[in-house]
Amino acid sequence: MRMSRLFSKTLREAPNGADSKGYEYLLRAGFIRQLGAGIFSLLPFGFNATKKIEQIIREEMNAIGGQEILMPLVNPADIWKETGRYYSIDKEMSRFNDRVGRDMVLAMTHEEAVTDLARGEIDSYKRLPLLVYQIQTKWRDDPRPRAGLIRVREFTMKDSYSFDTDAAGLDAQYAAHYKAYFRIFSRCALPVIVVGADSGMMGGKISHEYMYLSSIGEDTIITCPACGYTANRQVAAFAKTYYAEDPKPVEKVLTPECKTIEELADFLKIEKRQTAKAVFMVGTFINDTNGEEEEKLIVGIVRGDLEVEENKLQNAARANALRPAHAEEILAKKMVPGYGSAIGCTSDTMVIIDDSVAKSNNLVAGANEEGYHLLNTNFDRDYTGLVADIASASSGFACPECGKPLESSKGVEVGNIFQLNTRYSESMNCFFQDESGSRKPVIMGSYGIGVGRLLACLAENYSDAQGLCLPISVAPMQVHLVSLVKDAEIAEQLYQKLSAAGIEVLYDDRKESAGVKFADADLIGLPIRLTLGNRSLKEGKVEVKLRRNLEETFSFNLDSLVEETKALIAKLQAEIDEQIVEKEWQKA
C-alpha cells in the first residue's frame, strides 16, 4: 500500500460534527467517511482494521464450537409477526413492502431469522447442542446517531445463537461466550468490564453487557469498589432506607407555587424523603386481541429524595415504549401536573409504586388540585398500585450486597449476551423431540458484538494529541515506512523486501516534506515507524520509532531489517497476549 496511490486522504482539521476525539481521528486519518446521518463508509484503513477485529472474533467463536453462517438483512415481516416484535418495536425498525405488497423489514438483529432456520434443521435432541454465528450488517433507524461509529443506524455486528435441550446446556454455552468475549476484547487490547444488564427488546431473563468505560458513553455504570457489585444503572439495585411510622390522618394544605419537590420541601420545612413524587409517562402496549398498538397513562410514584429509572418503570409496566405524558393527558385522568399523585386518579391509569414509598409512611403528595398538597398519605390506605423497584441507583447510595457507597461512571456497550430461553422457540414453534419422544421447545441464547463500535472505542482509548496509536493486533497495517531519501529505488527495495516477508507495510512514497509525512504518520498511528533518511542510510541503518512513544528512537541495520522488524512485531503482539485477564472469566 503506497500513500501516493491511497484512495483516502488525511485531513488537517476534522469536518463539522466530530463530537468525540476518536471520531475526529478516524475521520482525519482517512478510516471512515460519512454518507448520511449514522451511515458511514469504511475506507482502506478502516476496512483493514475491522477485518482484523472480525478475524479475532471469528477465531474465538470457532474455538467454542461456533459455525459461521450468513443470514439476509432483508426479512419477511411474517417471522417478526410470529414473535410480536413487528408490532412492539417502534420506528427503529424500518418496514416496507416489496413489489407484490408483502410486508418486509430490515433486520435489526436476527433472532427471528435464526429461529426460522433452526425449526427446519433441528428435530431431535441428537442434533443438540448447536452454535451458529454470523458477521453481518444490521439496520436500526436510531433517531439520535452520534459520535461516529459509536451510535449509528447501519452497522456490522457479530451475532451468535446457541440451541440446547435444557437450562444446563444454555448455562454452559453462556459461560463459554462470557469467557470468549473477554478473550476477544483482550486480543483487541480494549479494556472492558462486564455488568448486569436489562434484556430489553431481546427478551429472556439473564443478560450481561461488556462496557468500555469512557466519558463519551451514554450508559451509566454503577459499581461498588468494596465488593465488586456492577450493573448498568437501568437495572442496578441499591440498599434503600425506609421510614415506617404509625399512619396519620390525611390533611390538605395550601402550597402555592410549589410544583417541584425542592420547592415543596422548602415551603413545608421538611426533608425531600418525606414526600412522594409522581412521574407521568405514557406507555405503548400491544392489544392481545387485535395486535394493534394502544397507549396508557402510567404514574410512577417514588420518594422525593430519589429519581425514577425509566427502564425499570417500563419493565414493571411491561410496556413496549415510554414517553413523557402531555399535560392534557394527565388532566384527562383527573390528575394535575405539578400537584399530581395517584390519589383519585381514574381506574384505567396504571399506577406503579416504588418500594421506598410503599414501605414508608405519612408522605406529602399532590392533592391533584392547583396549589394544594396532602400531608400524611400512605400506600394501600389512600391509593393502590403495583409495587416494584423503579428507583434509579446513583453514586453514594448504599451497595445492595455490602452496604458500602456505590460509584458511577459512563460506559459504551461493546458486547452483550442474553439467555433467551424459550422466548423465540415457543412463539415460532421451534421444537425438538427428547429421548422419551416428547416435543419440547429449544432453549436459546443470543450474543452480540458491534464491530464498528469496537473500532470506535479503540480509537478513543488509543489516541493522543497527534492522532491514533492503535494496538498492533487491530491496526490496519503493522509498519509505516517513511522515505526521506532522494534515491527512490532504495526505499522501493526495502518496501518490496518487507512486504515479501509478510509484513504489512504502508509506504509513504509521496513527494512531500518530512514534516507532512511525520504528521500523517502520527495521525494514522501505525504501531511501528521505519524512517529511511540520508544520514541513517549512510550508516547502513533505518530509524525506528514506536507510535506509542514518539520520544524514543532506535535503529535497525539494513542488512537485518526484516528479521528485526518481525521480532518487534512479535514482541508487540506478545505484550497484548500477556494481558488476557483470565481471572475475569471466573465470574462466569
Side-chain angles (χ1 to χ4, degrees):
M1 187 178 285
R2 304 167 192 272
M3 289 196 70
S4 63
R5 299 182 182 177
L6 191 62
F7 180 73
S8 58
K9 63 180 180 180
T10 56
L11 307 175
R12 296 279 74 86
E13 296 181 357
N16 293 333
D19 51 0
S20 74
K21 180 178 64 174
Y23 179 25
E24 174 187 342
Y25 287 147
L26 288 175
L27 284 171
R28 288 182 52 204
F31 279 61
I32 61 174
R33 290 290 183 264
Q34 185 170 359
L35 179 62
I39 306 172
F40 289 86
S41 297
L42 293 177
L43 303 186
F45 292 152
F47 183 78
N48 282 4
T50 55
K51 287 305 168 186
K52 288 191 173 183
I53 293 170
E54 289 174 6
Q55 185 57 29
I56 290 172
I57 293 172
R58 187 172 281 112
E59 289 171 4
E60 295 300 331
M61 287 296 99
N62 291 345
I64 62 171
Q67 301 176 59
E68 188 168 7
I69 63 174
L70 187 64
M71 292 177 281
L73 169 63
V74 177
N75 289 186
D78 290 346
I79 59 174
W80 289 76
K81 292 177 181 178
E82 286 185 66
T83 63
R85 291 208 296 178
Y86 182 81
Y87 307 103
S88 64
I89 297 173
D90 61 12
K91 294 179 181 179
E92 269 195 312
M93 176 186 284
S94 292
R95 302 160 171 85
F96 65 100
N97 298 111
D98 66 11
R99 64 192 301 163
V100 298
R102 185 184 295 110
D103 289 335
M104 309 292 284
V105 304
L106 295 182
M108 306 168 63
T109 180
H110 279 80
E111 281 75 19
E112 281 80 1
V114 79
T115 306
D116 180 69
L117 277 176
R119 64 185 173 185
E121 303 296 330
I122 299 171
D123 53 6
S124 167
Y125 72 95
K126 296 178 182 179
R127 300 271 293 137
L128 298 170
L130 287 172
L131 173 62
V132 295
Y133 73 95
Q134 65 172 352
I135 300 174
Q136 168 65 305
T137 301
K138 302 285 191 292
W139 171 264
R140 295 183 186 179
D141 198 1
D142 194 305
R144 295 179 301 276
R146 58 173 291 274
L149 301 180
I150 292 290
R151 186 165 178 170
V152 292
R153 296 196 290 165
E154 179 182 302
F155 56 97
T156 299
M157 180 177 175
K158 185 288 299 179
D159 44 323
S160 52
Y161 304 92
S162 62
F163 305 90
D164 289 279
T165 60
D166 54 27
L170 172 59
D171 287 344
Q173 297 221 55
Y174 194 85
H177 276 83
Y178 191 104
K179 298 173 184 178
Y181 273 32
F182 273 114
R183 287 192 59 85
I184 289 167
F185 296 124
S186 293
R187 289 180 63 183
C188 293
L190 183 71
V192 298
I193 64 169
V194 67
V195 303
D198 177 55
S199 296
M201 71 170 185
M202 305 296 291
K205 295 182 178 180
I206 298 178
S207 171
H208 288 87
E209 293 172 338
Y210 292 77
M211 289 285 180
Y212 163 64
L213 299 182
S214 170
S215 60
I216 68 166
E218 293 182 322
D219 288 282
T220 299
I221 312 305
I222 302 296
T223 57
C224 177
C227 72
Y229 173 78
T230 308
N232 193 309
R233 189 173 65 181
Q234 293 179 334
V235 298
F238 61 96
K240 299 175 184 175
T241 301
Y242 307 110
Y243 301 94
E245 56 187 31
D246 292 336
K248 299 176 183 178
V250 173
E251 180 183 348
K252 184 177 176 181
V253 295
L254 179 66
T255 52
E257 303 301 324
C258 293
K259 293 188 175 183
T260 69
I261 293 297
E262 290 75 14
E263 292 168 342
L264 179 64
D266 287 344
F267 181 80
L268 295 178
K269 302 296 187 291
I270 60 175
E271 297 181 38
K272 290 192 290 184
R273 68 171 179 81
Q274 295 175 278
T275 68
K277 176 166 51 182
V279 175
F280 300 97
M281 306 293 290
V282 172
T284 302
F285 301 84
I286 300 299
N287 188 301
D288 293 335
T289 303
N290 55 27
E292 295 182 358
E293 285 188 354
E294 57 184 32
E295 292 187 333
K296 180 178 291 188
L297 185 69
I298 301 170
V299 184
I301 308 294
V302 70
R303 213 168 55 208
D305 58 330
L306 303 174
E307 299 294 334
V308 168
E309 179 60 50
E310 288 189 15
N311 188 76
K312 290 183 178 181
L313 181 64
Q314 181 176 337
N315 287 341
R318 297 179 181 272
N320 293 322
L322 287 183
R323 64 168 175 82
H326 303 306
E328 57 271 20
E329 294 172 315
I330 301 170
L331 291 167
K333 302 301 180 181
K334 299 183 179 180
M335 292 174 287
V336 178
Y339 297 90
S341 71
I343 299 172
C345 67
T346 59
S347 60
D348 60 343
T349 301
M350 181 178 290
V351 180
I352 300 177
I353 300 101
D354 186 66
D355 56 342
S356 65
V357 171
K359 295 182 180 180
S360 298
N361 298 104
N362 302 323
L363 302 180
V364 180
N368 286 319
E369 182 178 344
E370 188 77 22
Y372 288 90
H373 279 81
L374 300 176
L375 306 182
N376 305 321
T377 69
N378 290 276
F379 168 71
D380 214 22
R381 182 192 71 179
D382 305 312
Y383 59 96
T384 60
L386 172 68
V387 177
D389 172 23
I390 59 171
S392 182
S394 185
S395 180
F397 287 9
C399 173
E401 295 186 357
C402 73
K404 298 294 177 61
L406 294 168
E407 295 182 357
S408 66
S409 54
K410 291 293 185 180
V412 179
E413 178 194 343
V414 289
N416 50 53
I417 53 179
F418 302 91
Q419 287 198 5
L420 301 175
N421 294 296
T422 60
R423 160 72 174 85
Y424 295 88
S425 54
E426 285 189 329
S427 61
M428 296 187 68
N429 198 31
C430 180
F431 284 72
F432 70 96
Q433 191 174 60
D434 68 10
E435 294 181 69
S436 67
S438 301
R439 293 182 74 249
K440 293 182 177 179
V442 174
I443 309 295
M444 293 176 58
S446 174
Y447 319 86
I449 290 178
V451 177
R453 182 177 286 188
L454 179 47
L455 174 61
C457 291
L458 286 164
E460 289 291 332
N461 197 69
Y462 292 100
S463 54
D464 56 23
Q466 285 73 44
L468 298 168
C469 43
L470 294 175
I472 199 156
S473 59
V474 294
M477 311 199 79
Q478 298 162 328
V479 173
H480 197 142
L481 175 62
V482 178
S483 174
L484 303 179
V485 297
K486 294 181 179 179
D487 189 348
E489 185 60 30
I490 296 175
E492 177 69 24
Q493 290 175 3
L494 286 182
Y495 170 56
Q496 296 293 346
K497 195 174 181 181
L498 291 165
S499 299
I503 297 171
E504 301 163 0
V505 185
L506 174 64
Y507 173 30
D508 192 344
D509 60 337
R510 300 173 299 169
K511 294 184 180 349
E512 295 283 0
S513 68
V516 169
K517 290 188 175 187
F518 288 149
D520 281 346
D522 292 346
L523 178 61
I524 296 167
L526 300 187
I528 300 169
R529 183 192 306 172
L530 303 179
T531 303
L532 185 63
N534 292 311
R535 181 182 301 176
S536 61
L537 181 60
K538 290 179 181 178
E539 298 172 352
K541 296 181 180 296
V542 174
E543 181 184 278
V544 185
K545 280 191 176 185
L546 295 181
R547 176 58 183 85
R548 67 189 185 190
N549 183 10
L550 295 175
E551 301 301 318
E552 181 183 354
T553 303
F554 51 102
S555 62
F556 289 159
N557 292 320
L558 282 172
D559 293 341
S560 57
L561 178 61
V562 170
E563 291 75 14
E564 291 188 272
T565 302
K566 292 178 77 170
L568 181 56
I569 292 170
K571 178 187 175 188
L572 296 179
Q573 183 60 55
E575 290 174 357
I576 293 173
D577 295 340
E578 291 169 2
Q579 297 302 311
I580 298 177
V581 188
E582 297 202 21
K583 66 179 181 180
E584 292 285 356
W585 304 349
Q586 303 308 314
K587 295 179 182 178

